[in-house]
Amino acid sequence: MKLNINWKKTFLVAFDLVIVAYLVMALTSWNRPSRENAVCTKVVIDIADENVNGFLNSAEVKVLLERSRLYPLSKRMDDINPRQIEQALKGMPFVKTAQCYATDDNHVCITITQRTPIVRVKSMNGDDYYIDDNGGVMPNSQYTSDMIIVTGSVSRQYACQYVYLLAQELMGDDLWRNQVEQVNILPDKTVELVPRVGNHVINIGQLPTAATNAERREAVAAFVKKQMHRLELFYREGLKYAGWERYEYISLEYSNQIVCRKRESN
């Protein structure tokens, strides 16, 4: 069967489509501001939990980027590299995540989340640092918070592998987060707790050791829950009759008994 094609009509339709496409592209380009010479007119820095964690503020982020010659304000948009800015921010000791992007109105937005400290270590060897909720070391700063202080014979390795797990368990419980203010590690790794209420020291024994992170987490969590449950029962059933000031040392080191040392009378 022979097809009759009207080539003239087909050509005119195709020509009309080309004209329409050209007009759409032209109108779009006319209405879109030229980015060839566009510069950054505003930098928006958003730090999550800035008023809670308090390690970082917008001024410090600005100073870091200025020192690295990466602060985008007044720079040509085509010369700004968001990925490079992110990498520079992730190198800061208190930064957990960093995102950077440019907007169509020539703004650069930076969003940062901070690492969360759960314990401060002030070791007898002079070390002074924080441990975050992932077991990472954070440098000392002007940050102040009502968190547990760890003292005594504690290396960074022991702090990152065991002490932070202990702190997580204590900080995760409303009672002990408010009651325990200090953890002291003896040379044999015996753990002592110093409470806010009651003029005594609590010996909970040595934390169980394990080869892997998962095994450590499970073993330490079970141990701490058991020992703190025993202590809570003793607080409720023992000290409420004997009085909070009667004992100066309470030991939970032995599984079948709680040994207490009476305070010497003046």
Side-chain angles (χ1 to χ4, degrees), residues 28-160:
T28 303
S29 63
W30 290 338
N31 292 323
R32 182 188 302 155
S34 174
R35 295 184 65 87
E36 183 177 355
N37 296 313
V39 298
C40 173
T41 58
K42 185 177 182 180
V43 179
V44 179
I45 300 175
D46 179 24
I47 303 176
D49 299 328
E50 181 175 356
N51 295 326
V52 178
N53 286 352
F55 281 103
L56 288 173
N57 57 52
S58 300
E60 291 172 329
V61 173
K62 178 182 177 182
V63 168
L64 170 76
L65 294 177
E66 287 177 338
R67 288 175 179 172
S68 305
R69 298 183 178 180
L70 294 173
Y71 193 64
L73 188 64
S74 299
K75 286 188 175 183
R76 293 177 65 250
M77 295 299 292
D78 287 343
D79 294 335
I80 297 171
N81 187 333
R83 302 292 83 78
Q84 193 174 7
I85 292 175
E86 289 177 354
Q87 290 304 314
L89 293 174
K90 290 176 182 177
M92 298 180 73
F94 303 121
V95 172
K96 185 176 183 179
T97 64
Q99 290 184 323
C100 177
Y101 61 92
T103 66
D104 290 337
D105 52 357
N106 300 327
H107 293 176
V108 172
C109 300
I110 298 171
T111 303
I112 294 172
T113 61
Q114 301 184 72
R115 295 168 66 185
T116 304
I118 60 171
V119 65
R120 182 174 182 177
V121 178
K122 301 184 72 172
S123 176
M124 63 184 301
N125 64 12
D127 273 350
D128 189 350
Y129 53 91
Y130 298 97
I131 300 292
D132 69 13
D133 53 354
N134 289 315
V137 174
M138 302 173 63
N140 186 19
S141 72
Q142 299 301 317
Y143 175 79
T144 57
S145 178
D146 192 17
M147 68 175 62
I148 295 173
I149 306 294
V150 178
T151 59
S153 181
V154 51
S155 66
R156 291 202 175 198
Q157 180 180 11
Y158 188 76
C160 293

Side-chain angles (χ1 to χ4, degrees), residues 190-241:
T190 293
V191 177
E192 294 180 332
L193 307 180
V194 179
R196 298 180 190 276
V197 179
N199 188 19
H200 54 262
V201 174
I202 305 152
N203 176 350
I204 65 170
Q206 298 174 337
L207 298 177
T209 59
T212 67
N213 290 333
E215 291 172 338
R216 277 193 295 270
R217 181 178 294 278
E218 183 178 356
V220 170
F223 174 81
V224 174
K225 283 181 171 63
K226 175 184 176 182
Q227 295 297 72
M228 301 315 288
H229 177 66
R230 294 176 64 203
L231 178 61
E232 183 178 358
L233 291 177
F234 179 73
Y235 272 179
R236 290 179 176 177
E237 304 300 329
L239 291 188
K240 77 174 181 179
Y241 298 109

Side-chain angles (χ1 to χ4, degrees), residues 245-261:
E245 300 300 322
R246 182 172 185 179
Y247 302 114
E248 65 177 6
Y249 201 83
I250 300 171
S251 177
L252 308 174
E253 189 173 7
Y254 305 105
S255 59
N256 59 348
Q257 61 181 328
I258 296 177
V259 179
C260 300
R261 185 168 68 231

